[in-house]
Amino acid sequence: MNVQLPTGRELFEPKRPGSAEIAWCPGCGNFGIRNILISTLAELGLKPSEVAIVSGIGQAAKMPHYINANGYHTLHGRSIPIATGVKASNPELTVIAEGGDGDMYAEGGNHLLHAIRRNPDITVLIHDNQVYGLTKGQASPTTMKGMKTPTQPWGVFEEPFNPVALGVALDASFVARTFMGYFKESVEIIKKAIRHKGLAIVDILHPCVSFNKVNTYAWYKEHTYWMDDHDPHDREAAFRRALESDPLPLGIFYIHEKPSFEEQVPAYKRDKTPLWKREPKPELVKKFFEEKKL
Amino acid sequence: MSEFREDVSIVLGGAAGQGVQTVEAILTYALKKSGYHVYANKEYMSRVRGGINTTEIRVSSRRVRAFVKRIDILVPFKKGTLSWVKDRLGENTVVLGEKENVEEDFLDKVNLVEVPLTKMAMEVGSQLYLNTTAAGLIVGLFHGDFEAVKEYIRKRFGSKGENVVEKNIEAARNGYDLGVKLCEDGTIGIEVQKDEKVREEVLLTGTEAVGIGAFAGGMNFLSFYPMSPSTGVSTFAAQHAEDFEIVVEQVGDEISAINMALGAWYAGARAMVSTSGGGFALMSEALSLAGMAENPVVVHLAQRPGPATGLPTRTMQGDLNLVLYAGHGDFPRIILAPGSLEEAFYLTSEAFNLADKYQVPVIILTDQYFVDTYYNLPAPDVEKVKFERHIVEAEPGYRRYELTEDGISPRAVPGYGEEVVVANGNEHDEWGDITEDAELTIKMQEKRAIKKLETIKKNAHLPKLIGKENAKYLAIAWGSTLHVVEEALEKLGREDVALLHFSWVYPLNPEVKEFFEGKVLIDVESNITGQFAELLKKELGIEVHHKILKYDGRPFSVEEVLEGLKGVVE
Ligand SMILES: Cc1ncc(C[n+]2csc(CCOP(=O)(O)OP(=O)(O)O)c2C)c(N)n1
Ligand code: SF4
């Protein structure tokens, strides 16, 4: 890829011994997403200690090891509630939940639904390769109908999951789709997603060169287009676009500005201090007991 | 004339939604304010309306904290109450109430003192005043402080307007006068001494003791999914969330609840989840994550009988094995089970320091009986609660999983210091990155499952011995059965029987073994297999000699434990 990488990227390049060997297959789209993410964080002028990346399980979810930022590599499907807890405990952090399509839409599907309702100020990045990578090529919720896999030798007959339509239908705060093959555009979209206050969902298409022989780099280029004339504040239009399947529209589908979870919890109404700096309130405990004497 | 001395057990019974709890609340409040020791516990069906629920209230000259089977005065608000409690009725039981609420076949068997509660309420203006009339009646029997009744009514009904308040006071007054009259005309005689100190004490439930203990321990985050009987703690936290400025969130399921709490701890908050066995079952995956990532977390688990949905509103100490073994792989955890409300307060607050220090799950095991019990006690000493923070600054070169002698790595939180914090649920190196290295795996396994566990064991609290050190017999109890065994022992009155009560249940300090040497061991617990006895065997090689077990979903009564003990020692 011939792109100009911004300065500040080196901050996010990890120097830990365990980060040296990257476990992704050569040629995998995950490398591109890593580049995009590092550039995005650098362009936003963030410091590694201000960012927390919470990932689930899968090839995609190994990201925290290949980047220099706070990271928590957790359980399959659970990154969203964990990231929500991180953000709600320290709203000063930029919090990203990251995982594959299996991680986020299958095992973690329920969490995504409820995160949309709760609207924490986190960014959810889904590496959507339309297949399970780490467990070697089984169908994922976004696998296209008819694709044959070792575990679906007859060809997938389930309807593919449409994350964008789901996000718009549930009135998510920010919904976008990109293809990692478009570096600059992807950086711009993720920058907006991170800056957006509230839950931002970005479905990032990327090829799995080992297990998905259908949705290749060339396939994504041929079967996607950029929405140049779309108003993301128009929900109906967003929904119509979300239902298009070939070619797949790319860009920001929907934005609905609304208060975030952290803005509404009583913890921060009077005091913005992150929870780790707070101390118990013995005077209130004493007052409680005083009242219980009556 | 029916006479009751020193310690009276009153049982109120009625349908869910009938307002029995109003009566209970008014009279415990007023009697405590009058200087009587009070204890109350309720038993209820898993339904919102109808059925039969009962509350036992003990009013006593001295501290009482345990459930008795015996009923001295029964107040039925609904037909069917007597059948529901029939095995608790004795020769001396007085049924105080209306004939309509007593089943036919009991009429000639029980000592019924008819009081026209409905008629009295109607005279004040409506059947609605039945509850306050009944409450006044009982307070009157004790010649309690009527001002306290008035005060409570003002507090409770104040928002409904002056008329409602006045009418309720009038109804209570009529009840009160009748109560006094029943004593004066010799129908019922009650002799219970007042203890001036009680007035200065607090009246607390198990739920509140856990909830306020958590606040004292610095809890600032609670995520939960409702499940009886644990929900009270979450409700308590929600209702105090604004004052204490904490995050309380009802989430989509228990899986989210505990994962959110893990995220909160990772970011440095002090988080708790409150659940019951069925909810905890869903949390075991995240418990493993806590084990591997050395992510602290505090879980309050209020037990109810299982398996599965079991008896939703009843009690059992049946989830010890669940919390001992939940999660896959080996990792340490701490299990605490308060026996008294004081302990619930202090231990819950301490749970947060323990989780912070050892970076393990700390589970507080209560049960339906415990959370729904309340009594008066001296206000716990808030000054005794120590706030210990174990967070370090992430300086350049920081390693989240640094290998140390005692198995405890310094825990930093994101945003405190320049360096980043990498936590991981996969096997990892000292920096937190994934590893498959065999040698490192051995080191990390040993750090978590052996070194850290040993450190915790060495510092584990010892059980409390009640009675003589050289007693021949030793009753063993854990968690909520403390007071019932204690009172049974008092009743038994034998110096050669002592009680060893565990509120620190796991891991056991090796020194615990000494308590058992040369004794006849009697295990008392509320489950069918004797889960704690099994633990003693597995951990310390201790074999108990006798087991007194109860597993019908009801709490142990003093009488039952006493019978059981007699069966062994006599
Ligand atoms: C509870 C649980 N179930 C199953 C697995 C096995 N597993 C690991 S990764 C994975 C799917 C990964 O697919 P995806 O999320 O699409 O990520 P990718 O590897 O393609 O990046 C599965 C099923 C697991 N680790 N945990
Ligand atoms: S399995 Fe597929 S998605 Fe995973 S690293 Fe290899 S190519 Fe990439």
Side-chain angles (χ1 to χ4, degrees):
Chain A
M1 228 178 310
N2 217 353
V3 282
Q4 194 65 43
L5 300 179
T7 52
R9 282 180 52 98
E10 60 292 346
L11 275 180
F12 292 94
E13 288 293 350
K15 290 165 199 73
R16 303 184 302 266
S19 304
E21 199 205 322
I22 295 192
W24 290 326
C25 313
C28 170
N30 278 320
F31 289 98
I33 299 181
R34 189 189 91 100
N35 266 334
I36 289 165
L37 184 59
I38 289 185
S39 292
T40 304
L41 297 173
E43 284 191 23
L44 287 169
L46 292 162
K47 286 193 285 186
S49 61
E50 295 168 340
V51 179
I53 301 174
V54 180
S55 71
I57 293 294
Q59 287 290 78
K62 290 177 179 163
M63 188 67 86
H65 306 297
Y66 309 141
I67 197 163
N68 187 43
N70 293 297
Y72 194 174
H73 190 173
T74 68
L75 292 169
H76 196 36
R78 311 296 175 220
S79 62
I80 290 178
I82 297 179
T84 303
V86 172
K87 182 72 184 182
S89 301
N90 188 351
E92 291 171 2
L93 296 170
T94 294
V95 180
I96 295 167
E98 199 160 355
D101 40 84
D103 193 51
M104 293 286 188
Y105 302 144
E107 196 92 3
N110 198 29
H111 301 306
L112 183 67
L113 300 187
H114 292 283
I116 293 174
R117 294 180 48 235
R118 183 165 293 112
N119 200 31
D121 185 14
I122 64 174
T123 304
V124 181
L125 302 181
I126 303 103
H127 300 217
D128 189 352
N129 55 11
Q130 303 186 256
V131 73
Y132 285 6
L134 186 55
T135 48
K136 297 195 167 33
Q138 302 84 3
S140 90
T142 51
T143 304
M144 290 182 347
K145 269 187 165 176
M147 188 163 119
K148 292 189 174 165
T149 80
T151 46
Q152 287 82 15
W154 42 81
V156 170
F157 46 71
E158 283 87 353
E159 238 11 275
F161 187 81
N162 183 337
V164 174
L166 175 100
V168 179
L170 293 187
D171 200 16
S173 196
F174 182 105
V175 186
R177 175 161 60 213
T178 185
F179 165 47
M180 52 64 62
Y182 298 112
F183 182 85
K184 261 189 9 217
E185 293 83 349
S186 297
V187 169
E188 283 314 309
I189 287 178
I190 299 174
K191 254 184 358 198
K192 285 186 181 136
I194 289 177
R195 281 199 188 122
H196 176 84
K197 178 176 58 74
L199 186 81
I201 303 167
V202 187
D203 187 62
I204 310 170
L205 302 169
H206 79 99
C208 166
V209 293
S210 299
F211 299 112
N212 187 341
K213 305 297 182 197
V214 177
N215 310 105
T216 59
Y217 280 95
W219 186 93
Y220 283 121
K221 289 246 156 137
E222 273 167 36
H223 294 266
T224 56
Y225 79 100
W226 286 99
M227 301 182 286
D228 294 324
D229 53 346
H230 173 63
D231 171 11
H233 298 282
D234 180 343
R235 192 168 175 206
E236 275 180 41
F239 201 67
R240 264 194 308 277
R241 293 280 180 143
L243 298 181
E244 292 177 17
S245 56
D246 198 8
L248 290 163
L250 301 178
I252 299 170
F253 285 76
Y254 186 54
I255 294 175
H256 182 181
E257 307 276 355
K258 49 186 169 180
S260 70
F261 174 53
E262 307 78 46
E263 280 178 320
Q264 298 180 84
V265 292
Y268 300 106
K269 289 231 162 90
R270 291 185 296 250
D271 180 0
K272 305 283 179 226
T273 323
L275 302 185
W276 70 266
K277 290 185 186 164
R278 299 194 186 184
E279 304 217 335
K281 299 182 156 90
E283 64 294 345
L284 290 183
V285 177
K286 281 184 199 156
K287 189 171 148 235
F288 172 83
F289 285 131
E290 277 311 309
E291 283 165 8
K292 283 282 160 189
K293 283 183 186 171
L294 304 175
Chain B
M1 161 136 169
S2 304
E3 273 189 279
F4 304 103
R5 279 172 207 282
E6 305 301 333
D7 171 21
V8 188
S9 135
I10 304 159
V11 171
L12 313 169
Q18 239 189 339
V20 175
Q21 266 153 36
T22 313
V23 186
E24 175 194 340
I26 299 178
L27 71 93
T28 45
Y29 175 87
L31 290 172
K32 184 245 152 193
K33 268 218 109 177
S34 308
Y36 295 113
H37 288 279
V38 291
Y39 154 94
N41 181 268
K42 64 170 181 270
E43 163 277 311
Y44 55 104
M45 293 182 170
S46 180
R47 51 191 291 177
V48 175
R49 294 267 176 254
I52 297 216
N53 299 343
T54 65
T55 296
E56 168 171 299
I57 297 161
R58 291 178 72 184
V59 186
S60 171
S61 310
R62 41 169 225 123
R63 216 173 274 297
V64 275
R65 294 180 156 197
F67 175 72
V68 289
K69 193 170 166 192
R70 180 191 93 231
I71 298 178
D72 295 326
I73 300 175
L74 176 69
V75 188
F77 288 96
K78 186 191 173 196
K79 210 173 228 165
T81 306
L82 277 87
S83 312
W84 184 244
V85 298
K86 65 174 180 300
D87 56 343
R88 299 177 61 187
L89 302 174
E91 276 171 25
N92 301 324
T93 308
V94 168
V95 178
L96 188 60
E98 296 168 277
K99 212 170 178 175
E100 294 77 58
N101 293 334
V102 179
E103 299 92 299
E104 294 282 303
D105 30 327
F106 282 95
L107 277 176
D108 50 354
K109 290 192 206 124
V110 295
N111 182 3
L112 174 66
V113 173
E114 276 196 76
V115 278
L117 292 174
T118 306
K119 189 167 146 263
M120 290 168 73
M122 297 301 276
E123 276 165 16
V124 175
S126 146
Q127 178 135 20
L128 285 175
Y129 303 114
L130 187 111
N131 294 324
T132 29
T133 312
L137 172 71
I138 297 169
V139 179
L141 288 177
F142 288 85
H143 294 83
D145 180 358
F146 191 71
E147 280 308 307
V149 176
K150 277 163 69 178
E151 204 177 277
Y152 189 89
I153 290 174
R154 281 219 177 83
K155 259 210 240 177
R156 170 105 176 210
F157 301 107
S159 61
K160 298 190 176 167
E162 195 45 35
N163 186 43
V164 174
V165 169
E166 286 308 321
K167 287 283 185 195
N168 274 292
I169 290 178
E170 188 188 334
R173 182 83 234 179
N174 295 345
Y176 187 92
D177 292 342
L178 178 61
V180 172
K181 189 170 152 283
L182 288 177
C183 293
E184 279 167 2
D185 68 15
T187 315
I188 298 179
I190 288 185
E191 230 184 276
V192 179
Q193 282 78 47
K194 291 184 185 173
D195 175 349
E196 288 305 312
K197 289 195 289 282
V198 173
R199 293 184 220 267
E200 274 304 295
E201 295 192 353
V202 298
L203 199 55
L204 221 56
T205 66
T207 292
E208 289 170 328
V210 170
I212 196 70
F215 281 124
M219 175 185 77
N220 46 30
F221 192 107
L222 181 134
S223 39
F224 74 102
Y225 187 79
M227 186 167 186
S228 294
S230 68
T231 315
V233 169
S234 307
T235 309
F236 179 88
Q239 282 172 358
H240 291 84
E242 302 236 4
D243 281 356
F244 281 85
E245 300 184 284
I246 70 162
V247 178
V248 176
E249 181 68 353
Q250 179 182 324
V251 297
D253 52 40
E254 288 83 356
I255 299 173
S256 310
I258 187 162
N259 280 295
M260 228 176 250
L262 291 184
W265 273 99
Y266 167 72
R270 289 195 154 199
M272 179 162 98
V273 294
S274 184
T275 189
S276 182
F280 189 83
L282 287 170
M283 295 180 177
S284 51
E285 179 205 29
L287 205 76
S288 279
L289 173 61
M292 178 54 104
E294 305 194 45
N295 195 129
V297 67
V298 176
V299 180
H300 167 240
L301 192 167
Q303 301 166 97
R304 70 192 217 188
T309 313
L311 290 165
T313 63
R314 311 223 166 257
T315 200
M316 202 167 282
Q317 295 180 302
D319 295 343
L320 177 58
N321 284 339
L322 173 69
V323 296
L324 271 169
Y325 304 114
H328 50 288
D330 288 301
F331 61 94
R333 63 199 74 197
I334 295 173
I335 303 171
L336 310 171
S340 66
L341 298 185
E342 288 89 341
E343 258 180 357
F345 173 76
Y346 292 119
L347 276 181
T348 307
S349 63
E350 193 184 349
F352 292 86
N353 291 341
L354 294 169
D356 199 343
K357 178 172 179 190
Y358 298 119
Q359 303 161 36
V360 294
V362 180
I363 298 140
I364 300 155
L365 266 189
T366 64
D367 49 45
Q368 180 269 324
Y369 172 72
F370 189 87
V371 292
D372 286 334
T373 289
Y374 63 96
Y375 46 73
N376 57 289
L377 64 152
D381 185 355
V382 182
E383 303 295 333
K384 271 201 204 151
V385 174
K386 299 267 176 298
F387 174 61
E388 293 166 8
R389 202 181 340 242
H390 298 270
I391 294 172
V392 302
E393 187 176 340
E395 285 167 349
Y398 171 74
R399 282 167 290 161
R400 171 66 191 93
Y401 299 108
E402 190 185 327
L403 292 163
T404 58
E405 255 325 290
D406 60 3
I408 297 165
S409 311
R411 187 171 70 97
V413 302
Y416 179 36
E418 303 253 299
E419 193 53 278
V420 301
V421 182
V422 183
N424 194 348
N426 293 269
E427 191 54 278
H428 41 254
D429 61 20
E430 289 182 85
W431 288 264
D433 290 311
I434 299 182
T435 187
E436 299 204 22
D437 184 284
E439 249 175 74
L440 200 51
T441 301
I442 291 173
K443 282 191 184 138
M444 287 294 170
Q445 289 272 350
E446 287 175 351
K447 161 188 155 73
R448 290 185 299 262
I450 296 179
K451 288 189 175 173
K452 197 197 269 196
L453 182 63
E454 289 306 318
T455 304
I456 300 172
K457 274 187 183 174
K458 269 196 299 220
N459 295 298
H461 294 193
L462 291 175
K464 193 163 76 188
L465 182 74
I466 298 164
K468 291 236 152 53
E469 232 168 89
N470 59 1
K472 177 174 166 210
Y473 297 95
L474 189 63
I476 300 164
W478 64 279
S480 65
T481 53
L482 167 68
H483 296 309
V484 73
V485 183
E486 207 176 18
E487 189 169 333
L489 281 187
E490 280 168 29
K491 289 249 153 55
L492 185 68
R494 283 180 45 158
E495 300 232 313
D496 60 345
V497 192
L499 163 64
L500 191 64
H501 179 266
F502 289 80
S503 50
W504 183 299
V505 172
Y506 182 86
L508 293 169
N509 191 319
E511 283 177 39
V512 165
K513 230 176 148 166
E514 291 162 22
F515 287 96
F516 301 110
E517 267 156 33
K519 314 243 163 193
V520 178
L521 305 178
I522 312 164
D523 173 50
V524 186
E525 52 183 314
S526 174
N527 60 58
I528 189 165
T529 52
Q531 296 182 11
F532 187 66
E534 291 298 315
L535 175 67
L536 289 177
K537 184 154 80 186
K538 179 168 174 276
E539 291 290 308
L540 307 171
I542 303 287
E543 290 267 6
V544 302
H545 305 96
H546 304 273
K547 285 183 190 169
I548 302 174
L549 304 175
K550 182 167 165 92
Y551 40 87
D552 60 359
R554 274 69 178 164
F556 266 117
S557 67
V558 173
E559 293 92 333
E560 281 166 328
V561 178
L562 181 63
E563 276 309 301
L565 291 174
K566 278 184 178 164
V568 176
V569 305
E570 280 178 4

